[in-house]
Amino acid sequence: MSADILQEVTQNDYKYGFTTDIETDIIPIGLSEDVVRLISKKKNEPQWMLDFRLKAYRHWLTMKMPEWAHLNIPEIDYQSIAYYAAPRKNAPKSLDEVDPELIKTFEKLGIPLEERMALSGIAVDAVMDSVSVKTTFKESLGKLGIIFCSFSEAVENHPDLVQKYMSSVVPYTDNFFATLNCAVFSDGSFVYIPKGVRCPMELSTYFRINAINTGQFERTLIIADDDSYVSYLEGCTAPMRDENQLHAAIVEIVAMKNAEVKYSTVQNWYPGDKNGNGGVYNFVTKRGICKGENSKLSWTQVETGSAITWKYPSCILLGDNSSAEFYSVAVTNHHQQADTGTKMLHIGKNTSSHILSKGISAGVSQNSYRGLVKINPAAENARNFSQCDSLLLGDKCGAHTFPYMEVNNDTAIVEHEATTSKINEDQIFYCNQRGISTEDAVGLIVNGYAKDVINKLPMEFAVEAQKLLQITLEGSVG
Amino acid sequence: MLEIKNLHANINGKEILKGLSLSVNAGEVHAIMGPNGAGKSTLSSVLTGNPAFTVTEGDVTFNGKNLLELAPEDRSREGIFLSFQYPVEIPGVSMVNFMRTAVNEHRKYKNLEPMSASDFLRMQREKKELVEMDNKLANRSVNEGFSGGEKKRNEIFQMAMLDPKLSILDETDSGLDIDALRIVANGVNKLKRPDNASIVITHYQRLLDYIVPDFVHVLYDGRIVKSGGKELALELEERGYDWIKQEVDGK
Amino acid sequence: MEQQYIDLYTAHHESIKKHSAPAMNGLRDASFAQFEKLGFPTVALENYKYTDLKESLSIDYGLNINRIPIPVNPYDVFKCDVPGIHSYLYFVVNDGFYPVTDPRNTQLPDGVIIGSVKEVAATHPELLKDYFGKLSSTKEDGLIAFNGAFAQDGFFMYVPENVVLDKPVQLVNIMRADVDFMAVSHNVIILEKGAKAQLLVCDHTVDEVRFLSNRVTEVFVAENATYEHYKLENTHNKTTNLSTLLIDQDASSNVLANVITLHNGVTRNMIEIDVDGEHCETSLCGMVIGDKNQQVDNFTSIIHNKPNCNSRELFKYVLDDLAKGAFTGKLYVAKDAQKTAAFQTNRNILLKKTAKMRTKPQLEIYADDVKCSHGATIGSLDETALFYMRQRGISADEARLLLMFAFTNDVIENIRIPALQDRIKMLVEKRLRGELSKCEGCVICQ
């Protein structure tokens, strides 16, 4: 493969890089106890929420940034970041009240808020910077007893649920970034599915980082009560910015007895330009607990964006016979760095987990899988199978695999397989011979390679994910 | 020789055999047929003591001994041989070592001296011819990398080596082409004697063209619901199992 | 914990140096400074996550700084030679090279030097100067730094260009003391271009006291040379074995390292093979049979720095009772190491609920035209295979044994000395049967 083609195709510009001209309400940069109080005040939070934030903030001051990941993280000045930005207008009540600029932004992203979503049956809770703008389908979901709203609304309207479950899966002391989130989180989504209810549509949130120099710290809490089912989609894009933007989110999921939760992410934050300038730092703590018997949790992620990704959607398998899945495609190009994977903690009996990770590296990027499978002594008959494959598209990138397996019970069966290889030139030639350009061939082959994961996404997302893979990589062959 | 009375058995709490009775005498060949999920393979597993299955009710005696009390290896040494539907691959354990251990354990059970290496090899050579088994296979690990046909031939070879009183052939015909089927059936027929017996479990009548049964039983929903001579097999081949299901379910 | 050794060094570094050799003393103060900085490794370090040395290091061990001769003649008592294999036999008692050599050893091929580091420092100072500490001094590791400060002697082997050692060299390490004892040694092995050698290292303990061995072995394998390194650990459960094996491979060389732990207390094998030339072949294998409260951590790295090389790594563990196993296998492929083919496998069997296994294979790959894979499994014996064997009349115990033996067999098959292979097969079988796996005829071990 010639170097020219490589360059040509890896220099594809970020297609979602535009800035929306919306007046925003920004707190001056910097972080202090006063800023934490100010965020809480702006959001009219009750005292218990402020106390929680302050407790986290004080703990955060004692913590250091983790260094074990295979990442080269430039020093982050936490005092030069604005911790709160909200579109100035109050939350709109109907589509007419939504800022037309905002709607245009969503249209450019291909997610018109109402019609197309209505057609595809998705209820969207769109998060523009930090505050939830509009939630659709709230009413029809409400009839089933499903609560789907912004986190702030949940704090106001469902304080008992929030207090009971918030930070029950990710404690406020969990890690540097999670603790920071607990102190300064701005908004996010809240989902509660009552007993015995199957959520009839895919719930979806689109996150965007927009304002200059604002960190985005949203948190999502999903509770699936006994015998319920929900599929949740999270999509992320951020406009092009030269400055790095910090993103430290928390997602917590609780699955009760016989409940099933599917959480799918397509992450396409701005990755920086081809010289490694700018881009989002994405430090996310995602964790779910299979609390009840026979509960099921499934994480699917397609990670194509961000300059730095640090993310390990995890699962605590507490209930007997519970099961968890983690399906991931992570693509890195140019100067992107990703250290991502999962943790499966088997505690209950007859628990099973399945991990499938596909890493694709191009340019001068570094792509690592890091995963832990831990079988506790009481976890009889636990099963795990992990497969981690890496594909290299170029001779300047790196692909790394760091699985950890800790087994404390002899009835467990834990298996791990990993391979690393380069894209098959025979396949490309075969495509070429049939008249398919190298760029398209790589797109085809990579999509084929990632198919097992993409197939796990809901249809609408799968199509978008495929496009994203192609855009991110078009022909990056070495 | 074998007397099964009102046998009930389950796997993971799910009852599969629901009161099965059958008696087999020396010199007889019994065919057990039935639709998928009837409990055919469960019967072979229970008779050989597969720990995955639990017997909840009933008796099985084998030459006067309570079979259900015996460990799987002792049932084998008493003379029960199972030709597995899916022979297990055991990487790293050579066929020779495996077979010699088995033969000598059988001999020990009968208070016989272990076989000398040369006697063992001679016997192995003889028995291999019976199923036209390739010499190379004996040097490989047990069943590892064997084709479907080779695995089944290997089962019959082991049967010849261990000289059982009762052999249970569990779907031995599945996955065999016509030549392999003939070889396997020939092997089984050559081993037939007035003092031993066989239970042939099969889904199709095809195998019974080669191994002619004295009795044919239909197993359905965990019980033997119909018995007859070899003509019953032909009838099943022609009419399927639905009429039997209707007969039983209609009652 | 560190302080007593810092005090010891500060008070006695003159004696330590006096009883050692200039080549070793050259790096000593720097190593000590490094040790002062790093201390002993703890589980807080990613590389020692699964080796907890706190208990082993809390013992008040004696060191033989003044090199007082140990009153034992291994030739009189040690009959542990592998039957049917003729070897050049050498002994190290604790951390000192046993000076009297077997008469059979006099027929060494021309130019081959085998002896103690201290002795060679006097007779061939230039050899040591070029090699000693070349690999170990670049490592940032508390145990290696400690070794650099306290090791006073070690085993030395030199095989000149195109010389082939016709028989394996056997090095028997015997731990013998009346009080809890720490042995610190540093071995150097050099194979010149086209040379061929096989080294079998056996570790034994004689007395019922607690032993700690800290051993660093540096191996230099020049172009076209072939080196096989076998290590057989058969000590008692009061032994802590901290061993570092560093191998540097030049172009077209062939290296096999096979480390087998049959019986031990606490073992940490750090093995790093640097492939620094093209067209090399590297095999790294190991096996652990652990029961009671044994602990074994094999911490391995294969570093591919040059293109067109192949490596294979295979480690198998059978763990019973309260045994704890750990395996780390780092496969590193540097940016320019194109056409690397590297395959790693780690399989583990837990026989009891109380046994524990931690495995951490890792691939770090910076070149794109490579074929690399790793596979790791942890499980118990295959139930369907057990039933199959029992159906054929093989008793449950025997079937289990056959399966365990089969499981470890492919590591044993990677022993290229047939007589040694047979011998280890026999030892492994005895070990698995729960019989004492002590070497037959070995008087010392009784």
Side-chain angles (χ1 to χ4, degrees):
Chain A
M1 214 56 55
S2 85
D4 298 346
I5 291 178
L6 179 94
Q7 246 193 347
E8 192 184 309
V9 291
T10 54
Q11 283 171 4
N12 206 75
D13 284 331
Y14 184 67
K15 289 199 174 163
Y16 295 150
F18 45 81
T19 311
T20 313
D21 208 4
I22 296 179
E23 294 174 83
T24 45
D25 183 7
I26 296 183
I27 287 181
I29 60 165
L31 183 55
S32 66
E33 220 169 278
D34 288 342
V35 169
V36 174
R37 285 176 197 279
L38 190 59
I39 293 170
S40 187
K41 199 172 161 214
K42 275 193 177 285
K43 299 173 68 64
N44 289 319
E45 285 177 354
Q47 186 64 34
W48 57 265
M49 189 50 98
L50 175 62
D51 291 344
F52 174 78
R53 287 177 181 274
L54 289 172
K55 191 169 62 173
Y57 175 70
R58 286 168 195 148
H59 186 75
W60 182 74
L61 292 174
T62 67
M63 298 173 92
K64 277 203 288 193
M65 229 172 89
E67 285 170 349
W68 41 260
H70 195 272
L71 296 171
N72 185 9
I73 306 173
E75 199 158 326
I76 297 170
D77 182 359
Y78 292 91
Q79 294 304 335
S80 67
I81 295 167
Y83 286 86
Y84 184 76
R88 189 160 282 155
K89 289 178 185 168
N90 290 330
K93 292 188 180 58
S94 75
L95 195 66
D96 305 336
E97 286 180 39
V98 174
D99 192 320
E101 280 288 316
L102 188 64
I103 294 189
K104 263 190 226 159
T105 307
F106 284 124
E107 270 163 12
K108 278 191 226 170
L109 287 172
I111 48 152
L113 213 47
E114 198 85 287
E115 292 83 3
R116 214 183 291 176
M117 287 300 112
L119 285 174
S120 48
I122 296 174
V124 177
D125 178 26
V127 175
M128 181 68 143
D129 286 330
S130 308
V131 167
S132 174
V133 179
K134 188 181 181 301
T135 307
T136 54
F137 287 97
K138 202 186 264 177
E139 270 178 41
S140 56
L141 293 173
K143 281 179 195 147
L144 291 166
I146 294 172
I147 305 168
F148 179 37
C149 61
S150 74
F151 204 86
S152 313
E153 283 174 75
V155 170
E156 200 180 322
N157 302 328
H158 309 284
D160 45 332
L161 283 173
V162 174
Q163 275 180 287
K164 186 171 175 193
Y165 291 108
M166 182 183 73
S167 117
S168 72
V169 189
V170 179
Y172 77 93
T173 52
D174 194 79
N175 70 71
F176 185 82
F177 301 111
T179 304
L180 178 63
N181 176 290
C182 289
V184 302
F185 73 89
S186 31
D187 210 334
S189 297
F190 178 86
V191 176
Y192 175 79
I193 314 288
K195 278 186 187 157
V197 172
R198 275 187 76 85
C199 184
M201 59 186 80
E202 317 269 358
L203 300 183
S204 166
T205 303
Y206 247 87
F207 290 116
R208 263 170 61 75
I209 298 179
N210 196 27
I212 295 172
N213 277 344
T214 57
Q216 182 145 13
F217 303 94
E218 78 287 320
R219 64 186 300 150
T220 298
L221 177 57
I222 298 173
I223 303 147
D225 217 325
D226 295 357
D227 304 295
S228 67
Y229 166 84
V230 62
S231 167
Y232 188 90
L233 318 178
E234 173 203 312
C236 312
T237 51
M240 187 183 288
R241 290 286 183 199
D242 279 337
E243 294 80 4
N244 293 304
Q245 288 169 305
L246 180 64
H247 180 90
I250 290 181
V251 176
E252 293 180 282
I253 297 175
V254 181
M256 310 299 274
K257 195 173 164 188
N258 296 324
E260 181 177 352
V261 180
K262 284 172 83 168
Y263 192 103
S264 313
T265 309
V266 174
Q267 187 264 112
N268 187 31
W269 301 118
Y270 179 50
D273 68 12
K274 57 180 179 286
N275 299 316
N277 299 314
V280 169
Y281 293 176
N282 190 24
F283 301 107
V284 184
T285 305
K286 291 186 170 179
R287 195 176 302 153
I289 182 165
C290 287
K291 209 166 183 174
E293 287 168 35
N294 299 314
S295 52
K296 200 175 165 195
L297 175 60
S298 168
W299 295 104
T300 304
Q301 61 172 27
V302 174
E303 302 280 318
T304 62
S306 294
I308 298 177
T309 300
W310 180 97
K311 178 179 175 187
Y312 314 93
S314 304
C315 193
I316 302 165
L317 293 136
L318 182 66
D320 291 350
N321 305 316
S322 59
S323 64
E325 293 165 343
F326 173 76
Y327 300 106
S328 169
V329 173
V331 186
T332 53
N333 199 354
H334 303 309
H335 288 262
Q336 280 178 277
Q337 303 178 60
D339 194 296
T340 184
T342 184
K343 282 193 235 176
M344 295 291 178
L345 304 177
H346 291 254
I347 300 169
K349 294 185 176 61
N350 305 317
T351 48
S352 67
S353 61
H354 184 203
I355 297 170
L356 177 62
S357 163
K358 301 269 183 180
I360 301 156
S361 340
V364 289
S365 67
Q366 298 296 331
N367 196 332
S368 305
Y369 167 82
R370 186 181 302 275
L372 169 70
V373 175
K374 185 170 182 174
I375 313 291
N376 273 28
E380 298 284 318
N381 298 315
R383 294 285 178 273
N384 163 267
F385 179 74
S386 310
Q387 189 181 336
C388 305
D389 295 328
S390 305
L391 190 65
L392 290 147
L393 310 180
D395 56 1
K396 294 182 186 70
C397 49
H400 320 295
T401 321
F402 303 95
Y404 297 66
M405 279 168 268
E406 304 187 4
V407 177
N408 300 308
N409 187 308
D410 66 329
T411 58
I413 298 178
V414 177
E415 293 176 79
H416 175 93
E417 277 174 25
T419 60
T420 303
S421 53
K422 75 177 216 169
I423 194 157
N424 188 327
E425 286 182 18
D426 294 343
Q427 291 172 342
I428 293 176
F429 177 72
Y430 189 83
C431 293
N432 289 156
Q433 209 290 318
R434 296 293 184 264
I436 299 167
S437 73
T438 298
E439 286 178 21
D440 288 349
V442 170
L444 280 174
I445 293 164
V446 166
N447 267 311
Y449 169 78
K451 201 179 82 194
D452 290 347
V453 174
I454 289 177
N455 281 350
K456 300 288 172 186
L457 289 171
M459 185 62 111
E460 307 81 19
F461 255 35
V463 174
E464 182 178 343
Q466 270 176 357
K467 270 191 223 146
L468 277 177
L469 281 186
Q470 206 132 355
I471 289 167
T472 316
L473 282 173
E474 275 177 348
S476 328
V477 191
Chain B
M1 178 187 277
L2 178 75
E3 202 66 49
I4 307 172
K5 280 188 196 138
N6 189 30
L7 187 62
H8 290 252
N10 69 46
I11 181 163
N12 297 328
K14 189 178 179 233
E15 190 169 51
I16 311 278
L17 297 184
K18 302 169 181 173
L20 184 144
S21 299
L22 177 70
S23 77
V24 177
N25 299 310
E28 296 175 348
V29 175
H30 290 247
I32 293 185
M33 302 182 72
N36 285 329
K40 300 191 299 288
S41 285
T42 300
L43 177 62
S44 65
S45 294
V46 168
L47 290 179
T48 50
N50 188 329
F53 294 85
T54 313
V55 173
T56 51
E57 209 184 320
D59 301 302
V60 182
T61 51
F62 182 65
N63 289 330
K65 283 191 179 149
N66 180 354
L67 195 67
L68 299 177
E69 278 179 352
L70 296 177
E73 53 268 40
D74 285 337
R75 299 185 199 199
S76 166
R77 294 163 191 170
E78 285 291 335
I80 293 183
F81 180 90
L82 170 63
S83 168
F84 284 64
Q85 184 179 1
Y86 304 108
V88 182
E89 298 193 6
I90 314 177
V93 175
S94 73
M95 259 321 284
V96 178
N97 196 10
F98 170 69
M99 220 48 245
R100 198 162 71 179
T101 308
V103 166
N104 282 333
E105 295 255 5
H106 276 254
R107 291 177 67 88
K108 199 164 92 191
Y109 194 70
K110 293 175 192 140
N111 288 320
L112 296 170
E113 287 294 304
M115 218 174 210
S116 75
S118 57
D119 286 349
F120 175 80
L121 287 174
R122 191 177 312 123
M123 171 161 130
Q124 184 170 272
R125 207 163 37 240
E126 270 170 35
K127 306 293 183 190
K128 261 191 306 211
E129 282 165 16
L130 195 72
V131 285
E132 301 172 33
M133 201 165 86
D134 202 318
N135 252 330
K136 277 181 291 188
L137 296 183
N139 298 324
R140 297 230 295 259
S141 292
V142 180
N143 291 325
E144 195 186 30
F146 285 31
S147 71
E150 285 168 346
K151 279 183 183 165
K152 293 295 166 77
R153 269 193 261 175
N154 190 18
E155 294 291 288
I156 307 305
F157 158 70
Q158 292 176 42
M159 178 174 144
M161 290 292 284
L162 296 175
D163 189 22
K165 294 192 184 98
L166 173 68
S167 28
I168 305 165
L169 307 175
D170 189 358
E171 304 268 3
T172 296
D173 50 337
S174 69
L176 289 188
D177 63 34
I178 202 77
D179 290 329
L181 185 67
R182 184 186 45 78
I183 293 167
V184 165
N186 275 346
V188 173
N189 287 332
K190 279 186 201 155
L191 294 169
K192 193 180 163 186
R193 288 199 312 257
D195 62 337
N196 62 22
S198 333
I199 297 176
V200 181
I201 294 172
T202 182
H203 193 71
Y204 302 105
Q205 194 269 338
R206 190 175 70 154
L207 179 67
L208 304 179
D209 288 342
Y210 297 90
I211 304 171
V212 181
D214 302 303
F215 302 94
V216 173
H217 309 277
V218 179
L219 184 57
Y220 175 62
D221 194 24
R223 272 182 295 261
I224 286 177
V225 294
K226 201 170 188 68
S227 297
K230 64 177 177 237
E231 65 288 348
L232 179 56
L234 293 167
E235 191 177 358
L236 287 169
E237 178 80 356
E238 207 171 297
R239 298 177 61 190
Y241 291 107
D242 285 348
W243 63 281
I244 291 191
K245 287 184 194 172
Q246 276 159 14
E247 244 179 65
V248 175
D249 297 336
K251 269 177 205 167
Chain C
M1 244 183 283
E2 287 83 3
Q3 197 52 46
Q4 57 172 318
Y5 296 102
I6 292 170
D7 294 345
L8 181 76
Y9 190 84
T10 314
H12 296 286
H13 62 103
E14 293 296 336
S15 311
I16 293 172
K17 288 172 187 160
K18 193 176 98 191
H19 294 288
S20 184
M24 298 182 83
N25 291 336
L27 296 166
R28 196 173 298 280
D29 287 341
S31 298
F32 175 68
Q34 174 95 330
F35 175 70
E36 272 189 301
K37 188 181 109 193
L38 298 172
F40 287 119
T42 68
V43 287
L45 295 172
E46 181 69 21
N47 287 357
Y48 283 86
K49 201 174 152 99
Y50 300 133
T51 306
D52 190 354
L53 298 174
K54 217 186 304 164
E55 212 253 312
S56 294
L57 292 168
S58 66
I59 307 298
D60 186 17
Y61 296 104
L63 277 86
N64 187 8
I65 287 171
N66 292 314
R67 313 310 290 168
I68 296 158
I70 310 294
V72 62
N73 178 358
Y75 290 98
D76 289 348
V77 284
F78 197 83
K79 301 277 187 285
C80 196
D81 206 352
V82 177
I85 132 171
H86 296 291
S87 67
Y88 299 108
L89 180 63
Y90 298 89
F91 289 96
V92 163
V93 178
N94 298 341
D95 44 20
F97 190 80
Y98 189 75
V100 188
T101 51
D102 190 308
R104 284 175 296 170
N105 294 353
T106 54
Q107 304 139 13
L108 277 174
D110 277 353
V112 174
I113 305 165
I114 293 178
S116 86
V117 171
K118 213 168 125 183
E119 190 179 288
V120 173
T123 55
H124 302 82
E126 71 294 343
L127 271 181
L128 272 182
K129 209 170 120 259
D130 289 349
Y131 293 102
F132 187 88
K134 197 174 156 194
L135 302 176
S136 62
S137 62
T138 61
K139 301 278 176 289
E140 194 155 303
D141 180 285
L143 294 178
I144 296 177
F146 183 91
N147 184 285
F150 289 95
Q152 291 169 284
D153 202 353
F155 170 81
F156 180 90
M157 175 162 96
Y158 175 82
V159 188
E161 206 168 317
N162 294 325
V163 170
V164 176
L165 273 175
D166 53 330
K167 291 185 287 184
V169 176
Q170 190 178 5
L171 174 65
V172 180
N173 291 294
I174 297 171
M175 294 291 262
R176 151 89 196 85
D178 299 324
V179 294
D180 293 344
F181 188 84
M182 181 188 289
V184 190
S185 58
H186 190 133
N187 304 335
V188 178
I189 291 153
I190 303 159
L191 274 75
E192 295 283 19
K193 284 181 189 172
K196 270 189 189 168
Q198 299 165 312
L199 178 69
L200 166 62
V201 182
C202 301
D203 287 321
H204 297 277
T205 43
V206 176
D207 298 294
E208 280 294 302
V209 299
R210 301 199 50 144
F211 288 108
L212 185 145
S213 154
N214 177 328
R215 184 195 308 150
V216 170
T217 304
E218 293 181 273
V219 184
F220 303 89
V221 185
E223 225 176 291
N224 279 315
T226 302
Y227 178 66
E228 294 169 27
H229 186 102
Y230 302 99
K231 185 181 141 181
L232 182 65
E233 189 176 4
N234 197 14
T235 61
H236 64 43
N237 54 8
K238 290 181 184 168
T239 311
T240 300
N241 204 333
L242 310 173
S243 144
T244 305
L245 173 64
L246 306 170
I247 300 179
D248 186 65
Q249 272 189 271
D250 210 333
S252 304
S253 62
N254 188 320
V255 163
L256 163 72
N258 197 336
V259 295
I260 295 175
T261 300
L262 280 184
H263 203 284
N264 74 315
V266 175
T267 296
R268 158 92 177 183
N269 285 318
M270 182 210 177
I271 301 167
E272 181 176 314
I273 302 179
D274 286 86
V275 184
D276 284 325
E278 289 192 44
H279 305 290
C280 290
E281 295 287 330
T282 308
S283 297
L284 175 56
C285 312
M287 179 211 300
V288 173
I289 299 174
D291 55 11
K292 304 195 183 68
N293 53 1
Q294 288 171 232
Q295 292 183 36
V296 183
D297 180 0
N298 283 302
F299 186 88
T300 72
S301 321
I302 296 179
I303 315 283
H304 283 278
N305 289 318
K306 289 280 153 55
N308 299 310
C309 295
N310 299 322
S311 72
R312 279 181 324 122
E313 184 168 1
L314 173 69
F315 272 79
K316 296 229 171 166
Y317 289 60
V318 179
L319 301 172
D320 202 349
D321 301 334
L322 291 160
K324 268 191 214 162
F327 170 77
T328 300
K330 178 166 149 185
L331 253 181
Y332 180 98
V333 180
K335 205 180 255 178
D336 303 318
Q338 299 292 5
K339 306 268 179 213
T340 294
F343 305 102
Q344 182 194 84
T345 309
N346 168 232
R347 304 214 181 284
N348 311 287
I349 287 181
L350 300 181
L351 298 173
K352 283 215 181 74
K353 206 165 293 266
T354 43
K356 290 181 176 19
M357 181 67 205
R358 279 97 181 75
T359 174
K360 210 178 102 184
Q362 41 181 285
L363 302 174
E364 261 188 73
I365 292 166
Y366 297 89
D368 68 328
D369 191 4
V370 299
K371 281 208 182 82
C372 297
S373 73
H374 67 218
T377 55
I378 306 175
S380 42
L381 292 174
D382 181 355
E383 291 294 329
T384 57
L386 275 178
F387 177 67
Y388 187 80
M389 293 167 102
R390 292 175 78 185
Q391 209 300 308
R392 298 297 183 253
I394 298 171
S395 71
D397 285 347
E398 190 66 23
R400 247 180 233 118
L401 195 83
L402 273 172
L403 283 182
M404 282 192 279
F405 192 69
F407 177 75
T408 55
N409 202 35
D410 46 0
V411 173
I412 301 175
E413 305 223 309
N414 272 298
I415 295 170
R416 296 179 195 154
I417 306 170
L420 180 63
Q421 197 187 89
D422 291 346
R423 172 71 175 168
I424 287 180
K425 261 187 195 161
M426 193 268 282
L427 285 174
V428 167
E429 196 180 327
K430 278 179 115 179
R431 176 73 173 92
L432 291 171
R433 282 186 191 282
E435 295 164 15
L436 278 181
S437 68
K438 289 175 175 167
C439 307
E440 261 177 342
C442 166
V443 185
I444 283 184
C445 295
Q446 300 304 321

